[in-house]
Amino acid sequence: GAVVSQHPSRVICKSGTSVKIECRSLDFQATTMFWYRQFPKKSLMLMATSNEGSKATYEQGVEKDKFLINHASLTLSTLTVTSAHPEDSSFYICSARDPRRDYEQYFGPGTRLTVT
Amino acid sequence: GQNIDQPTEMTATEGAIVQINCTYQTSGFNGLFWYQQHAGEAPTFLSYNVLDGLEEKGRFSSFLSRSKGYSYLLLKELQMKDSASYLCAVRDQDYQLIWGAGTKLIIKP
């Protein structure tokens, strides 16, 4: 199946700093990528839809100025958590839509963010 | 509104069979997905149903009834490694995935 990578897998940062998470589709071109957030023992919460070459579409309640998304190429989308606070600590997962396979989504391995 | 319901938690015995149900009400329908998620890991794809009926893939099978807004995931010959959360997701008319809260499956020896 298609492969999506995510980097870093774990990151610990201090409150007030910014953190960038990368999501790459390794063997297909993804015009659309998705960013999810997951709290412990909860289901996935879609944060935003990232479209290559255009602005991301944010879900209601997600601060676009805090969670900056850039989809600069067909294989890379980045999520930057700006001025991170402890409440931003979570598991962030990206997925990419494979247009060759009925637009099936493939997930990256996730990034565990801890803000101290 | 759009809604997907699945049980919060289920317990089964190693070697047995378990059925995880999912009911949905969504704006349109373009397929139903089942994902497996182990603790601390991202979801992995298990199955996809877009037509009514049963799709079998090894020990796992998935069933869909579009008229009833209902699906189930059937796991046979349960193994300890099957302990995980199982997420039901429906793709709506806009090709957006609507996620259920997941069913935590506990396998006991």
Side-chain angles (χ1 to χ4, degrees):
Chain A
V3 179
V4 175
S5 71
Q6 204 171 324
H7 177 80
S9 57
R10 290 181 179 272
V11 58
I12 300 173
C13 70
K14 292 185 177 180
S15 187
T17 61
S18 295
V19 174
K20 179 185 284 188
I21 303 170
E22 294 187 349
C23 178
R24 294 180 185 273
S25 56
L26 298 184
D27 58 351
F28 64 98
Q29 294 183 329
T31 53
T32 304
M33 291 184 173
F34 303 88
W35 286 97
Y36 293 88
R37 182 174 182 178
Q38 188 174 34
F39 292 101
K41 300 183 180 180
K42 299 292 184 182
S43 190
L44 298 170
M45 183 190 79
L46 179 64
M47 298 175 66
T49 302
S50 170
N51 298 296
E52 187 269 336
S54 64
K55 291 183 179 180
T57 303
Y58 289 81
E59 296 299 303
Q60 192 172 8
V62 178
E63 299 175 59
K64 60 180 67 176
D65 293 331
K66 179 168 184 62
F67 298 98
L68 302 179
I69 292 173
N70 184 278
H71 194 154
S73 77
L74 287 171
T75 60
L76 173 65
S77 175
T78 60
L79 167 68
T80 302
V81 182
T82 63
S83 187
H85 289 101
E87 56 264 33
D88 298 325
S89 298
S90 188
F91 192 46
Y92 292 87
I93 309 172
C94 74
S95 70
R97 186 181 277 174
D98 188 349
R100 304 168 302 175
R101 297 173 61 87
D102 195 22
Y103 292 91
E104 185 176 324
Q105 285 190 38
Y106 293 90
F107 286 87
T111 297
R112 174 75 58 191
L113 171 64
T114 303
V115 184
T116 61
Chain B
Q2 309 204 91
N3 192 51
I4 297 190
D5 289 314
Q6 51 182 130
T8 304
E9 186 174 298
M10 298 182 72
T11 302
T13 305
E14 189 177 15
I17 299 173
V18 70
Q19 177 174 311
I20 303 174
N21 296 324
C22 170
T23 57
Y24 63 90
Q25 302 93 39
T26 57
S27 301
F29 178 85
N30 281 297
L32 185 144
F33 298 81
W34 284 96
Y35 286 86
Q36 180 190 60
Q37 186 178 24
H38 285 100
E41 299 179 11
T44 55
F45 171 78
L46 285 179
S47 69
Y48 169 62
N49 294 70
V50 67
L51 299 176
D52 290 349
L54 188 68
E55 293 280 343
E56 297 187 76
K57 192 184 293 185
R59 295 189 298 114
F60 293 5
S61 303
S62 57
F63 172 84
L64 174 68
S65 169
R66 288 172 295 170
S67 62
K68 295 181 179 178
Y70 167 70
S71 172
Y72 67 72
L73 179 69
L74 190 71
L75 293 77
K76 303 176 185 176
E77 301 170 17
L78 286 170
Q79 302 174 10
M80 297 304 292
K81 66 178 182 180
D82 297 330
S83 292
S85 287
Y86 291 85
L87 306 174
C88 173
V90 173
R91 197 161 56 186
D92 68 9
Q93 61 188 13
D94 298 320
Y95 267 71
Q96 299 298 323
L97 275 181
I98 311 301
W99 292 88
T103 298
K104 182 179 180 180
L105 178 63
I106 300 169
I107 309 296
K108 295 185 174 180

